[in-house]
């Protein structure tokens, strides 16, 4: 199995001069060692029907997982947009440094049939019934943070909500909360703008190829929008994995947040050991604790 | 005066569809409106002798402010490196997504004279005597966070330290804390890796041109290092502003963290109003509250 994606990259921050390969029995295991050694039983498959694969016009790809459990109305819209070819006409139209990369179809693109045009906001969920597991660590924004089915969430003890971490995907909208239908999406590419939590519906997270959209030139217009069409990176094809022939589907797994490996990994993220660190933080914020994802 | 740089970009996160120009007397002022309207008395000049201007081989530039108050030994080294032409030979040798961009001179470059080869770590400072002003907001990592002379800091009530926010610049080092001499530097380009606080000496922050180094291709080697020299973006010239002819020096100002505008701005960052937001966070973490910087 090959380790991939931003969640793994996040675990690589052991040293700055290239000492990630140092392993020494006198030091506790690093986060990346724990991920490497996690048994298959500590991982869960990302469903084919929740995996979106984007091929860009430059031949590069990225993929994301839909949060169908949390934003079913928006996610259903997005699947309809995909199957109608809407996103095949899309392009990256905005890259604002330390904030978001955003994509959508041109304004005159006809909306497919059966799209819910003004879906209700899907921000907040009753905590009761969710398998939410809080971390023991403090958060700057919410009384508690933790994971539900390996998604990063915050909670006030009554409700829980997905949080705007690096790589999370949200629904661009206008001023009214119900004005985003899922045909225009963005991903976070900077320090996590947690003030967007409970203000925008989150519909997914990047699973692979994040580096293919984070290194795009920043837009020079207001809010990082590109000022001309020729600056926009076109999409070539967008598919649900479940619509691909079985032998062409990529497969990813996320580490179960109720697994022994996850507990070790979270602890190691909060208490960096090894030869490099002199003062472990004793803490980790939720956006530095996004569940590891790997290619199966 | 023209508003610039990442700190200003940070304040732009009002909406995702381009509604930043909306101003309405029924809404409180947005962070960017407060920055625009802040009187000259609420800004302080960045000293010419602390301003480093990098011209890249592609003609683009970026600049950073040295934290001479906090890391004087490392900063003195960096000034000697600059004046000896060391950084004119430098290149970006590492871009790790959601982590750092790093630059330095080739390995065989002779070290200039008078460099302190193993400077002591300059991580922690006694709080007593510092004009540290805590924010009223919680932090995930430290008992308190706030600003000292407009630098983002954390404190445990006894000591204070600079924090690893987006755009902050640190000294790359090996395993021992005194192995970085300032000849190799990095800047944070993702969600703030606060676990590096008090483990690496911070020597500055980006003031302009951040977008010229954040959009570089990610390195494909271990830890995001480039695997061949031709992937590296070369530096062309690195100068202290104070070494430029007076009429060629750029000038930047940072908002005083003890000014009325700063207090309003911080409050507006924590409690986003306006027509877009439905649930203000009532909180802001220190890395979403980096002091605004403008070109004078």
């Amino acid at each position: 199995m090959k380790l991939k994606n931003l969640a793994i990259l996040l675990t690589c921050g052991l040293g700055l001069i290239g000492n990630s390969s140092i392993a020494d029995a006198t030091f506790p295991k690093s986060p990346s060692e724990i991920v490497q050694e996690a048994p298959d039983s500590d991982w869960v498959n990302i469903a084919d029907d929740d995996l979106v694969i984007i091929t860009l016009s430059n031949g590069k790809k990225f993929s994301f997982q839909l949060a169908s459990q949390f934003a079913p109305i928006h996610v259903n819209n997005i699947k309809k947009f995909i199957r109608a070819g809407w996103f095949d006409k899309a392009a990256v139209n905005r890259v604002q440094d330390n904030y978001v990369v955003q994509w959508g179809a041109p304004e005159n693109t006809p909306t497919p049939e059966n799209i819910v045009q003004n879906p209700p906001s899907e921000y907040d969920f009753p905590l009761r019934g969710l398998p939410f597991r809080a971390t023991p660590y403090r958060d700057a924004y919410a009384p508690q943070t933790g994971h539900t089915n390996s998604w990063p969430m915050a909670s006030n003890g009554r409700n829980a909500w997905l949080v705007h971490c690096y790589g999370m995907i949200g629904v661009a909208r206008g001023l009214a909360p119900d004005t985003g239908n899922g045909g225009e999406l963005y991903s976070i590419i900077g320090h996590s703008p947690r003030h967007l939590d409970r203000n925008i519906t989150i519909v997914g997270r990047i699973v692979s190829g994040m580096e293919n959209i984070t290194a795009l030139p920043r837009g020079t217009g207001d809010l990082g929008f590109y000022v001309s069409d020729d600056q926009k990176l076109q999409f070539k094809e967008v598919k649900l994995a479940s619509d691909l022939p079985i032998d062409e589907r990529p497969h990813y797994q996320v580490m179960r947040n109720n697994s022994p490996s996850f507990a070790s990994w979270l602890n190691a993220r909060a208490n960096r050991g090894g030869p490099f660190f002199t003062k472990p933080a004793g803490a980790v914020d939720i956006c530095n604790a996004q569940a590891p994802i790997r290619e199966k």
Side-chain angles (χ1 to χ4, degrees), chain A residues 32-44:
Chain A
S32 52
E33 287 168 342
I34 293 165
V35 169
Q36 296 269 358
E37 296 172 11
D40 287 351
S41 55
D42 287 355
W43 299 86
V44 61

Side-chain angles (χ1 to χ4, degrees), chain A residues 7 60 149 193 223 259 293:
Chain A
K60 294 178 180 173
N149 294 335
L223 299 176
S259 68
I293 294 175

